[in-house]
């Protein structure tokens, strides 16, 4: 199967009477707003089928997207041709999530076309900002993992590193969150219901993906045994391509997403028998693979579907990669020289035995050759220190669904443990820990261990996380492979999280530091001197207030809650999880509420507590925390004795677009995870870049942010990772922490007795039981320290000159946390490739 020229160059063996053009004929140049207006109108008429009098804002969005896409395709083809001409090593980034958000302003910004587009549409009486709002967020991710993948794809394009993103084209993606009576409800996020003008369907790029069946050992004439997989089911993966535009539009990479289809969508004989529903059963079963991101794995059927998803996209990707490599180079033995495959977390790690299967069973390589090629090609990014978050699949499920892969895993494990036994320091206990098969929980395949041994490099995503990896979850593996673990601290794309999200601040930075700040984040360091300038501080603060007014207007319109833009906006937005400790935040909020009512004549800093995030559909404790936040919000916001000094809001259906509105409006950034449990975090970087100081633990990338912005420009509290480990090792007793903190004891009593759940006093008993019992995430241990840090925030807020110096110094210190730097580190230390612009 051949890709179209926008993805791969045509087969060079083709012989036509006319040579195929290396580049497309150029489009008419855009010299003025009128030129661009005419191009957009032409797309409206001929691409959308509307005229300027009947077009809706959605029609204008589609027309503008088509017109932009035409300009992008030219650069896309040129970038692809350059990769082929130079024989450059390619990076394949495999991720179950790509939280790309809206693409209109991303594309306009990177092409430098925001102003000319605004002018062109204004000539037609169309408001670009209203058009922008009609684009749905691509529902292809959950949180930091997927947003990191999107940032990395943009930075690879910016740095002209030949990169291909590979994932799943979810029809519905992660659920749409609605809050009814304070509870989270999940609904399908139908982001594709009105089409996606950015993507190109590639029906000719399709691969068969096998499941189930049996494996037959076949002996040839020379006595050699080969293995033939006879699958019980075959599903087809069809490609959809989206161009990813780098800064200034100099290079364009590809994001290829796979959609699942049945090989035979309609069983005609069944249909003709009158079973019209049954005739579509195979297609429905196949399409379920790409229907929803993270189907609940609380049931055996849910576990199977998630494993099917992971294998589906890994197999399609590897078949696509091998086809491309063989067509261009013809020799699979040089694969590690020309290809780097990055596994973004454990989700794609089934790709390791799949590559071995393809090399051995399909392409006839020897086992040792295939294993060496796989290790030389794969690298793995770990994103968690929580053992329960490292995927482990039941062996019976693997044997039934992927029987050949289970054979390969058994053989890999035997060789791996044989190498381990040769070590002098190995014990039976360490062998059990090193094994790919966990025998202690009903026999499960450890996918994190598989990813580790099958990769030549394994990286953490912050300095602290990487060091903890070496000493905790991968301690024994690190002992066997002491040079394998490396660190690449995460980063964010400044184009999205500053240029687009906070244009007012960006204009101020350009005025103060010069146009070069758009290309070189190191220029931000110049803000340190400007932090001493009262005039600059005032303009910086004015930008923040404008953003707060905008957010307050959104909250008023959507939640009917009035916020004071002159209050301190204290923001906690991220996935709802116990280790991220939204619970700690709301407990302290209740304590503050009690203090305001108890001391009505005291001076309190007006504060708005803003929460947003989704809890996994089957994560009942996290969903109960959402309910608690909303019940507390209802009580506080309706209590006249608070006098507007405290407001609490939970913003529903958190996504990239909502984050782009919240982050520039934040005065304080909550990064309060239990120390040693957050791998890195990227929300902390986005907030600090926009000038919001962190209140947080020394966890994840908070440690490195402290090193770059200065400890005196943050509010650090709580136990360190070492202290957390020691507290747990000596026998953690939350009852002692509660007894030592009268304020905490009163708060827990209040939620336990039904103060915030009238009519249902037992509603929050599970939360109270966890706090009084195990308290796995040491909420009670850090409560007093957190409350003290919040009072330090209040004191500094009252000194506005000092506050805005701190805020500006946060932005000034963030250059290191650009995803461009992170990708440059990956290219140099992990992938061993270079930019096309340097060759």
């Amino acid at each position: 199967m051949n890709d179209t020229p926008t993805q791969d160059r045509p087969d060079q063996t083709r012989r036509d009477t006319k040579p195929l053009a290396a580049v497309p004929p150029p489009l008419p140049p855009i010299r003025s707003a009128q030129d661009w207006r005419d191009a957009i109108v032409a797309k409206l008429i001929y691409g959308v089928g509307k005229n300027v009098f009947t077009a809706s804002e959605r029609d204008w969005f589609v027309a503008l997207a088509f017109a932009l896409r035409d300009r992008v395709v030219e650069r896309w083809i040129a970038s692809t041709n350059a990769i082929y001409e130079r024989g450059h090593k390619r990076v394949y980034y495999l991720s179950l999530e790509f939280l790309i958000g809206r693409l209109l302003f991303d594309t306009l910004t990177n092409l430098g076309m925001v102003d000319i587009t605004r002018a062109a549409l204004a000539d037609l009486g169309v408001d670009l900002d209203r058009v922008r709002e009609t684009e749905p967020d691509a529902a292809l991710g959950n949180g930091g993992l997927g947003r990191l993948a999107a940032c990395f794809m943009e930075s690879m394009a910016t740095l002209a590193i030949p990169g291909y993103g590979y994932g799943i084209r979810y029809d519905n993606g992660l659920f749409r969150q609605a809050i009814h009576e304070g509870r989270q409800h999940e609904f399908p996020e139908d982001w594709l219901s009105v089409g996606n003008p950015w993507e190109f369907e590639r029906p000719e790029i399709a691969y068969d993906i096998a499941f189930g069946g049996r494996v037959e050992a076949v002996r040839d004439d020379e006595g050699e045994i080969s293995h033939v997989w006879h699958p019980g089911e075959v599903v087809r993966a069809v490609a959809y391509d989206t161009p990813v535009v780098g800064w200034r539009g100099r290079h364009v990479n590809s994001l290829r997403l796979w959609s699942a289809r049945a090989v035979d969508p309609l069983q005609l004989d069944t249909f003709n028998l009158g079973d019209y529903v049954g005739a579509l059963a195979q297609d429905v079963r196949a399409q379920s693979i790409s229907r929803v991101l993270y189907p609940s794995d609380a049931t055996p059927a849910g576990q199977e579907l998630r494993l099917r998803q992971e294998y589906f996209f890994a197999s399609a990707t590897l078949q696509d990669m091998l086809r491309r490599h063989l067509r261009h180079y013809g020799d699979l033995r040089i694969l590690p020289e020309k290809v780097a495959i990055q596994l973004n977390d454990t989700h794609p790690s089934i790709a390791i035995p799949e590559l071995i299967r393809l090399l051995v069973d399909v392409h006839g390589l020897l086992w040792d050759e295939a294993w060496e090629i796989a290790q030389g090609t794969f690298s793995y990014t770990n994103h968690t220190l929580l053992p329960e978050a490292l995927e482990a699949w039941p062996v019976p499920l693997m044997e039934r669904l992927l029987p050949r892969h289970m054979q390969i895993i058994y053989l890999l494990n035997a060789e791996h443990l044989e190498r381990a036994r040769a070590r002098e320091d190995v014990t039976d206990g360490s062998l059990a820990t090193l094994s790919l098969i966990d025998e202690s929980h009903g026999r499960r395949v450890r996918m994190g261990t598989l990813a580790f041994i099958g990769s030549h490099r394994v990286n953490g995503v912050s300095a602290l996380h990487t060091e903890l990896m070496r000493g905790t979850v991968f301690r024994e593996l690190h002992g066997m492979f002491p040079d394998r673990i490396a660190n690449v601290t995460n980063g964010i794309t400044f184009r999205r999280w500053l240029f687009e999200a906070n244009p007012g601040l960006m204009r101020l930075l350009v005025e103060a530091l010069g146009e070069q700040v758009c290309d070189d984040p190191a220029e931000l360091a110049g803000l340190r001197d400007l932090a001493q300038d009262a005039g600059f501080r005032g303009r910086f603060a004015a930008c923040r207030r404008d953003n707060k007014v905008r957010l307050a207007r959104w909250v008023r319109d959507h939640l009917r809650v009035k916020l004071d833009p002159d209050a301190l906006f204290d923001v906690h937005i991220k996935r709802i999880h116990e280790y991220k400790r939204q619970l700690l935040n709301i407990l302290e909020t209740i304590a503050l509420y009690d203090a305001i009512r108890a001391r009505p004549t005291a001076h309190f800093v007006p504060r708005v507590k803003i929460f947003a995030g989704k809890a996994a559909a089957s994560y009942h404790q996290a969903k109960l925390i959402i309910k608690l936040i909303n019940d507390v919000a209802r009580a506080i916001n309706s209590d006249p004795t608070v006098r507007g000094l405290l407001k609490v809001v939970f913003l529903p259906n958190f996504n990239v677009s909502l984050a782009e509105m919240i982050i520039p409006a934040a005065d304080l950034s909550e990064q309060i995870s239990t120390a040693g449990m957050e791998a890195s975090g990227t929300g902390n970087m986005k907030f600090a870049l926009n000038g919001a100081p962190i209140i947080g633990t020394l966890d994840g990338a908070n440690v490195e942010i402290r090193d770059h912005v200065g400890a005196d420009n943050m509010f650090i509290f709580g136990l360190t990772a070492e202290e957390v480990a020691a507290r747990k090792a000596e026998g953690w007793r939350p009852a002692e922490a509660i007894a030592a903190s009268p304020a905490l004891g009163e708060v827990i009593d209040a939620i336990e007795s039904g103060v915030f759940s009238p009519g249902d006093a037992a509603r929050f008993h599970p939360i109270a039981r966890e706090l009084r019992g195990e308290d796995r995430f040491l909420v009670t241990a850090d409560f007093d320290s957190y409350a003290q840090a919040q009072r330090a925030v209040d004191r500094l807020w009252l000194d506005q000159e000092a506050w805005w110096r701190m805020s500006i110094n946060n932005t000034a210190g963030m250059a290191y946390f650009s995803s461009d730097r992170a990708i440059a580190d990956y290219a140099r230390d992990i992938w061993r490739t270079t930019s096309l612009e340097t060759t």
Side-chain angles (χ1 to χ4, degrees), residues 633-778:
R634 186 189 65 247
I636 291 174
N637 296 347
S638 61
D639 188 340
T641 66
V642 176
R643 308 181 314 283
L645 293 173
L646 182 62
K647 288 284 179 72
V648 181
V649 290
F650 187 98
L651 309 188
N653 202 37
F654 183 57
N655 57 22
V656 175
S657 296
L658 192 54
E660 289 173 338
M661 181 168 56
I662 296 171
I663 289 171
D667 292 310
L668 185 69
S669 164
E670 296 271 355
Q671 309 295 331
I672 61 175
S673 54
T674 310
M677 294 190 181
E678 183 72 84
S680 169
T682 53
N684 46 9
M685 302 171 191
K686 294 160 193 167
F687 282 105
L689 177 64
N690 282 274
I694 288 171
I695 181 170
T697 53
L698 285 175
D699 195 25
N702 286 356
V703 177
E704 289 158 278
I705 293 175
R706 177 198 59 177
D707 295 340
H708 286 267
V709 307
D712 54 345
N713 291 309
M714 301 171 67
F715 302 94
I716 298 298
F717 74 91
L719 300 174
T720 64
E722 294 80 7
E723 290 168 340
V724 167
R727 189 72 62 96
K728 289 187 172 184
E730 66 192 20
W732 164 230
R733 291 175 293 276
E736 295 178 3
I738 296 170
S741 175
L744 174 60
E746 290 176 8
V747 168
I748 297 176
D749 287 344
I751 65 172
E752 193 172 34
S753 63
V755 168
F756 299 101
S757 55
D760 185 6
R763 179 181 299 159
F764 299 118
H765 282 186
I767 290 176
R769 279 198 301 271
E770 170 64 20
L771 291 172
R772 295 188 188 280
E774 190 175 0
D775 189 14
R776 292 168 297 157
F777 302 101
L778 283 80

Side-chain angles (χ1 to χ4, degrees), residues 547-562:
N547 293 326
K548 292 167 74 173
V549 167
R550 176 172 172 246
L551 178 59
R553 187 180 302 119
W554 188 95
V555 170
R556 181 199 65 199
D557 293 344
H558 289 80
L559 303 179
R560 297 190 218 175
V561 177
K562 185 177 179 181

Side-chain angles (χ1 to χ4, degrees), residues 20 49 156 175 182-183 264 293 337 341 484 532 647 717 812:
L20 198 59
M156 275 190 264
F175 60 84
R183 296 187 184 276
D264 296 311
L293 169 64
E337 300 172 28
I341 302 176
R484 187 161 296 184
Q532 310 307 317
K647 288 284 179 72
F717 74 91

Side-chain angles (χ1 to χ4, degrees), residues 8 76 80 145 196 279 351 433 460 462 499 511 513 586 635 670 801:
D8 287 322
W76 197 12
T80 302
L145 181 80
N196 178 11
T433 303
S462 72
F499 300 9
E511 290 172 16
L513 301 173
I586 199 63
E670 296 271 355
E801 180 179 320

